[in-house]
Amino acid sequence: MIWYVLKLLVLLPLIGALAWASLKFAQKMQAKLGGPVDGTKRVRIVETTMLSPSLKLAVIEFRGREILVSASRNGLTRLAEAPAEGDQA
């Protein structure tokens, strides 16, 4: 019984340290590959509307443009594109 508790006290912090190290490694790799590190994203979902259980409309903002897409089981289809509302004067 003492052997089991001793192994638990040694291995549990070791597993926690490995999980923490893997998260830090993933953050470093994401920074190297050009992903957002500080939480800012280049793509933002402005609005979504469910048309049917298998079809959804979404407005996505990307680089100052709003793109209307339909999302279905077959994938995404771009329907329309316009300047973002904040960019219009």
Side-chain angles (χ1 to χ4, degrees):
M1 179 70 175
I2 293 174
W3 178 246
Y4 175 76
V5 172
L6 183 64
K7 285 193 318 187
L8 185 66
L9 289 175
V10 170
L11 290 178
L12 197 59
L14 183 64
I15 292 171
L18 285 174
W20 179 81
S22 67
L23 287 174
K24 289 298 179 183
F25 178 73
Q27 286 178 344
K28 284 186 180 182
M29 291 304 295
Q30 189 175 19
K32 269 188 182 178
L33 297 176
V37 178
D38 57 355
T40 60
K41 297 183 179 181
R42 296 180 187 180
V43 176
R44 185 173 67 95
I45 297 176
V46 177
E47 185 178 343
T48 61
T49 301
M50 187 76 92
L51 296 179
S52 71
S54 63
L55 186 62
K56 183 187 292 189
L57 286 179
V59 178
I60 300 171
E61 186 178 342
F62 177 70
R63 292 189 178 181
R65 307 285 293 168
E66 286 186 348
I67 305 165
L68 177 66
V69 296
S70 69
S72 67
R73 292 180 183 159
N74 297 330
L76 293 175
T77 305
R78 186 177 71 180
L79 301 175
E81 187 173 337
E85 285 183 6
D87 293 344
Q88 294 176 353

